[in-house]
Amino acid sequence: MNKKLSIAIDGPAGAGKTTQAKALAKALGYVYVDTGAMYRALAVYMQDEELKDVPEILPEVNLQSTWDEKGNQRMSINGVDVTDRLRTPEISRLASDISAIPEVRDFLLETQREIARENNVVMEGRDIGTVILPDATLKVFLTASLDERAWRRSRQLEPGTYLLPSVKKDIERRDRNDSSRDAAPLAQAEDAILVDCTHMNIKETTQAVLRLWDEALARKAD
Ligand code: DC
């Protein structure tokens, strides 16, 4: 079987996983997979339908990831494109809450593995190196200081709507949630390489990971 290549990027909220995964996928010509967007799309659906019990509705949910010509991932749920509604603090909170539910994780696990079986991928999330792709060609645990992550995240939000202290509190709560749950908590895989990008800009971080990628490929060829 022609085994596909994969980079797994895990790490806490606001570390730059999405930016890096996109840049790496573009540089390598791989498919960029944002698994958080899948949890977020489910959260939008829950909110719209005013649903409380997630496992109950999963059999009726048709979650679809597609990629536009620029490689950006779009999410639709039961035929409705929700991509532009995924990145609000409310949806971040709800996505983190529902991601602790084992049935939700099981529901998404196969979808995510299937994409990696069929494509070379740069996949980012919280449990990619530990659970989804235990045999990933390269595993990176991307992190940065809490202050830096809060600052980066606040700049992505609508100007003037969310103040830095509240963004920081949200991120802290989410990290706690994501790391302390029983089901596939956020954790660095034993064989993942820690990249702390607190003092690195976007380009420097991409280049650092590309160097790790070259090393991983050289190890694989040995
Ligand atoms: O990466 P993100 O901020 O878009 O993810 C939103 C939430 O989804 C995050 O707080 C935890 C959850 N998540 C997860 O549990 N496992 C993943 N692989 C990706 C995201």
Side-chain angles (χ1 to χ4, degrees), residues 78 113 209:
N78 292 353
R113 283 192 180 155
V209 180

Side-chain angles (χ1 to χ4, degrees), residues 35-36 39-40 87 95-96 99 105 125-127 174 178 181:
T35 60
Y39 290 91
R40 288 172 181 271
R87 310 219 164 258
S96 175
S99 71
R105 306 205 71 82
R126 302 292 186 287
D127 62 341
R174 213 140 68 83
D178 296 343
R181 67 182 178 222

Side-chain angles (χ1 to χ4, degrees), residues 9-14 17-18 34-40 86-87 91-100 105 108 112 123-128 132 153 174-175 177-178 181 183-186:
I9 304 186
D10 292 300
K17 299 186 297 296
T18 301
D34 174 358
T35 60
M38 300 179 188
Y39 290 91
R40 288 172 181 271
L86 302 179
R87 310 219 164 258
I91 292 301
S92 298
R93 250 174 263 145
L94 188 55
S96 175
D97 288 345
I98 63 171
S99 71
R105 306 205 71 82
L108 294 177
Q112 295 166 2
M123 188 177 284
E124 55 120 335
R126 302 292 186 287
D127 62 341
I128 311 306
I132 306 294
R153 184 48 53 89
R174 213 140 68 83
D175 286 350
N177 238 6
D178 296 343
R181 67 182 178 222
L186 164 66

Side-chain angles (χ1 to χ4, degrees), residues 18-216:
T18 301
T19 307
Q20 289 306 324
K22 262 189 193 169
L24 291 161
K26 190 166 175 209
L28 298 169
Y30 290 4
V31 174
Y32 147 71
V33 189
D34 174 358
T35 60
M38 300 179 188
Y39 290 91
R40 288 172 181 271
L42 215 45
V44 169
Y45 184 71
M46 297 289 300
Q47 196 181 53
D48 283 359
E49 304 286 319
E50 297 179 13
L51 296 167
K52 296 272 174 280
D53 190 350
V54 203
E56 195 157 283
I57 55 107
L58 289 175
E60 302 153 25
V61 167
N62 177 12
L63 190 68
Q64 253 201 327
S65 310
T66 52
W67 285 266
D68 68 18
E69 65 290 344
K70 287 189 179 150
N72 293 316
Q73 183 176 331
R74 297 204 69 86
M75 292 304 310
S76 27
I77 193 151
N78 292 353
V80 179
D81 189 318
V82 293
T83 315
D84 298 335
R85 301 177 49 205
L86 302 179
R87 310 219 164 258
T88 65
E90 293 75 20
I91 292 301
S92 298
R93 250 174 263 145
L94 188 55
S96 175
D97 288 345
I98 63 171
S99 71
I101 302 170
E103 287 88 342
V104 171
R105 306 205 71 82
D106 287 347
F107 176 75
L108 294 177
L109 177 136
E110 197 37 47
T111 311
Q112 295 166 2
R113 283 192 180 155
E114 175 77 25
I115 299 171
R117 260 196 301 273
E118 299 192 344
N119 305 277
N120 292 325
V121 293
V122 184
M123 188 177 284
E124 55 120 335
R126 302 292 186 287
D127 62 341
I128 311 306
T130 50
V131 176
I132 306 294
L133 304 177
D135 298 325
T137 324
L138 170 68
K139 298 181 188 180
V140 171
F141 193 84
L142 187 67
T143 192
S145 72
L146 175 63
D147 281 334
E148 182 63 24
R149 290 187 287 118
W151 168 241
R152 290 177 190 176
R153 184 48 53 89
S154 70
R155 279 183 307 178
Q156 291 169 345
L157 297 167
E158 196 81 6
T161 46
Y162 299 98
L163 297 173
L164 189 57
S166 93
V167 175
K168 188 170 164 183
K169 231 167 86 192
D170 263 3
I171 285 189
E172 257 182 315
R173 176 190 176 275
R174 213 140 68 83
D175 286 350
R176 215 171 25 247
N177 238 6
D178 296 343
S179 314
S180 64
R181 67 182 178 222
D182 290 332
L186 164 66
Q188 181 176 344
E190 256 175 40
D191 50 351
I193 299 170
L194 178 73
V195 174
D196 183 334
C197 62
T198 307
H199 303 293
M200 291 156 92
N201 65 28
I202 292 175
K203 212 166 164 194
E204 288 166 343
T205 310
T206 311
Q207 276 161 357
V209 180
L210 283 173
R211 277 195 296 276
L212 296 175
W213 179 241
D214 287 342
E215 289 165 18

